Amino acid sequence: MKDQRLTLLELNGLVRELIETAMPSEYWVEAELSECRESRGHCYMELIQRDDRNATPVAKASAKCWASKWSLVRPYFERTTGQRLRAGMKVLLKVYPQFHEAYGFSWIVTDIDPNYTLGDQARRSQEIIRQLKEEGVFDLQRELQLPRFCLHIAVISSETAAGYGDFAGQLADSPFAFRSQLFPAVMQGEGVEQSVIAALNRIYEATVASAAVPSAAVPVPSAAVPVASPTGLPFDCVVIIRGGGATSDMSGFDTLALAENVANFPIPIITGIGHDRDECILDMVSHRRVKTPTAAAAFLIDHAQAVLDSLNDVQNRMARHAQQRLTNLQLQLSTLQEALPRLFAVVKTRQEARLDQLFSRMLTLSQQTITDNRNRIDTLEQRIPLIVDRRLTAERHRLEIMTERLKALDPTLLLRRGYSITLKDGHAVRDPKTLHPGDEIETRLEKGTIKSIIT
């Protein structure tokens, strides 16, 4: 057996020949990209398959797409899907096996089916949309009301993006006093989701920390002094814009976390991400979707112009109404001026007749009252002597009765009958227990008084 030993190169060569002989064909394989990078025109991939139940990796492999194929496959894939190949994407690859004596085994990619990835993306998008609807947040942004005076704008964009410059310039050239504040964010690549969410959080913190400032702001020429937001918040709406980036970098706007943040945001959000393909999920949950940053600026300017036109229309209608009202009042005044002399004459005649009637009635009532009072006085004059005589007789009789009663109560009558009264200090003694030895008492009889000392 030792005589049949092989070098590692020879052994790897046998493995290569065995693989090339046993697997001479190309195969379509479904896999998820766990890593994807380019180097010197070649694309190096790490493939993975996960368990559907718990997402545990059950298979891994390396794959390469050489520059000669990659230069053809990549543009077609990106043009069809609108995205670059990236980690986390599910793909359908056409591969053949290759074992190199020095570099080991690898799958060599010769083609990528973009339709498979599109189908997977559509399934993921539908799953995100379904989850948003189950949470009841899918339509929350559309239920918000864009402020009538929408002049204070929070902008989420790349600071160096041409689209942001176009947006800001278009607002500055408008006849309205727009004020915008940029919240920089990454707008392409894998960092889009977290960067945009962080910008939304900064806007929300500024919103929560702001004090309500009442204002009656109206769309006015931009030369006017800026005024506080009529909502009492620092911003009236949020604009997420992206310009100049490749459509292949749109995947960051199709995530559940970003969609939930936008859907639950308390201020209307307008998106102008600048792409021609179907709406991304961010567009679906936003308050308003436009195609480009300049279209977002045009929408805000048109909104302000519509408000201004509405105010001008109301002003004109109020002026017309006031003029019509004034004309009607003037006609009424002229009519009253003409009718006033006639009306005054009629009223004067009626009032004079009414006064005559009242005077006659007052005269009649006065005479009747005087007659009635005279009759009453005559009657009283006749009755008073009789009443006085009756009252004197009654009082005289009452006096006689009281005199008799007083006589009956006279204590001298009791003394005449043999009774006596014992006094101490001028008060009648009713109980002998009230007397003490040495007290002096006085006894009154019919014919004298006896004084005694208690022993």
Side-chain angles (χ1 to χ4, degrees):
M1 294 297 293
K2 292 183 179 179
D3 294 337
Q4 297 180 358
R5 58 188 175 182
L6 302 172
T7 66
L8 179 59
L9 179 63
E10 291 173 337
L11 180 61
N12 285 351
L14 289 176
V15 173
R16 178 176 61 79
E17 291 175 2
L18 180 62
I19 291 175
E20 290 176 352
T21 302
M23 303 179 68
S25 302
E26 294 182 329
Y27 306 91
W28 285 102
V29 59
E30 298 177 351
E32 178 184 331
L33 294 177
S34 63
E35 184 180 339
C36 182
R37 58 186 176 84
E38 291 185 50
S39 178
R40 298 181 180 181
H42 310 297
C43 181
Y44 297 89
M45 310 174 196
E46 292 295 328
L47 308 181
I48 191 171
Q49 180 179 344
R50 302 179 187 275
D51 191 317
D52 293 335
R53 293 169 296 181
N54 52 26
T56 303
V58 294
K60 293 183 180 181
S62 297
K64 302 180 181 71
C65 187
W66 304 123
S68 57
K69 287 289 185 181
W70 182 241
S71 62
L72 300 175
V73 169
R74 173 185 170 182
Y76 176 68
F77 180 86
E78 292 180 357
R79 187 169 59 253
T80 303
T81 63
Q83 298 189 61
R84 291 179 180 177
L85 283 172
R86 55 179 174 79
M89 183 177 287
K90 289 188 177 180
V91 291
L92 181 62
L93 308 174
K94 191 174 186 180
V95 300
Y96 66 86
Q98 183 183 74
F99 187 85
H100 192 277
E101 288 85 343
Y103 301 108
F105 181 83
S106 179
W107 293 102
I108 305 301
V109 179
T110 60
D111 197 4
I112 304 176
D113 186 357
N115 294 318
Y116 176 84
T117 302
L118 282 175
D120 180 66
Q121 290 173 348
R123 287 190 296 272
R124 290 178 59 191
S125 296
Q126 290 301 318
E127 176 61 22
I128 292 174
I129 292 171
R130 182 192 64 78
Q131 188 167 343
L132 292 172
K133 289 183 176 179
E134 287 182 355
E135 294 173 1
V137 301
F138 187 78
D139 295 316
L140 287 182
Q141 270 283 315
R142 280 183 286 276
E143 294 174 2
L144 296 177
Q145 186 73 30
L146 192 67
R148 183 176 291 273
F149 306 115
C150 189
L151 301 176
H152 296 189
I153 317 299
V155 183
I156 298 177
S157 182
S158 172
E159 192 169 4
T160 59
Y164 170 65
D166 295 340
F167 173 85
Q170 194 166 346
L171 290 186
D173 293 338
S174 74
F176 303 106
F178 286 106
R179 288 197 303 175
S180 63
Q181 180 177 343
L182 176 65
F183 291 81
V186 176
M187 301 305 288
Q188 61 183 9
E190 296 183 4
V192 169
E193 178 189 71
Q194 293 303 322
S195 184
V196 174
I197 291 175
L200 287 171
N201 288 338
R202 293 197 299 274
I203 296 172
Y204 180 76
E205 290 170 0
T207 299
V208 171
S210 66
V213 179
S215 171
V218 296
V220 293
S222 57
V225 177
V227 292
S229 168
T231 61
L233 302 175
F235 304 108
D236 299 319
C237 74
V238 178
V239 175
I240 302 177
I241 52 177
R242 170 185 180 271
T247 56
S248 58
D249 291 322
M250 295 298 300
S251 59
F253 299 102
D254 279 324
T255 68
L256 176 61
L258 180 56
E260 287 176 333
N261 274 268
V262 169
N264 286 287
F265 207 72
I267 301 174
I269 294 179
I270 300 170
T271 56
I273 302 177
H275 57 98
D276 296 325
R277 69 184 181 88
D278 293 340
E279 289 181 309
C280 66
I281 294 176
L282 184 65
D283 289 328
M284 295 180 186
V285 298
S286 65
H287 177 78
R288 175 86 178 195
R289 178 245 179 168
V290 295
K291 181 184 279 190
T292 62
T294 54
F299 170 76
L300 292 172
I301 294 171
D302 291 344
H303 177 77
Q305 186 63 50
V307 172
L308 183 59
D309 292 343
S310 175
L311 290 176
N312 289 334
D313 180 62
V314 170
Q315 182 179 4
N316 293 333
R317 281 169 29 196
M318 290 177 64
R320 290 195 301 271
H321 178 75
Q323 184 61 44
Q324 184 63 41
R325 181 67 174 165
L326 182 60
T327 301
N328 293 338
L329 290 175
Q330 288 175 341
L331 290 174
Q332 292 177 9
L333 184 59
S334 299
T335 302
L336 288 173
Q337 287 176 342
E338 295 175 358
L340 191 58
R342 297 193 302 272
L343 292 173
F344 179 75
V346 172
V347 171
K348 180 182 178 182
T349 302
R350 289 179 180 175
Q351 292 299 324
E352 288 177 346
R354 185 167 176 269
L355 287 173
D356 291 341
Q357 291 176 359
L358 289 174
F359 181 74
S360 299
R361 289 179 60 191
M362 288 177 63
L363 184 59
T364 302
L365 289 173
S366 323
Q367 293 174 350
Q368 182 66 43
T369 302
I370 291 171
T371 301
D372 292 343
N373 287 332
R374 283 177 179 174
N375 293 334
R376 188 174 173 217
I377 290 172
D378 292 340
T379 302
L380 290 174
E381 286 179 348
Q382 296 174 4
R383 293 179 59 189
I384 283 174
L386 296 175
I387 293 173
V388 171
D389 186 58
R390 289 177 184 174
R391 183 64 178 268
L392 289 174
T393 301
E395 289 300 324
R396 190 179 294 111
H397 179 67
R398 181 168 171 270
L399 185 57
E400 291 174 354
I401 293 173
M402 291 180 66
T403 300
E404 293 299 325
R405 287 180 179 177
L406 286 174
K407 289 179 179 180
L409 295 176
D410 188 355
T412 57
L413 295 177
L414 295 174
L415 296 177
R416 290 174 186 172
R417 295 176 184 172
Y419 293 98
S420 65
I421 300 174
T422 302
L423 303 174
K424 178 180 179 298
D425 297 329
H427 299 286
V429 178
R430 300 178 182 274
D431 187 354
K433 294 179 180 180
T434 61
L435 299 176
H436 300 88
D439 289 342
E440 182 179 318
I441 61 174
E442 180 182 339
T443 303
R444 290 184 182 179
L445 305 172
E446 178 184 1
K447 295 182 180 182
T449 299
I450 300 173
K451 292 185 179 182
S452 307
I453 301 292
I454 302 298
T455 59

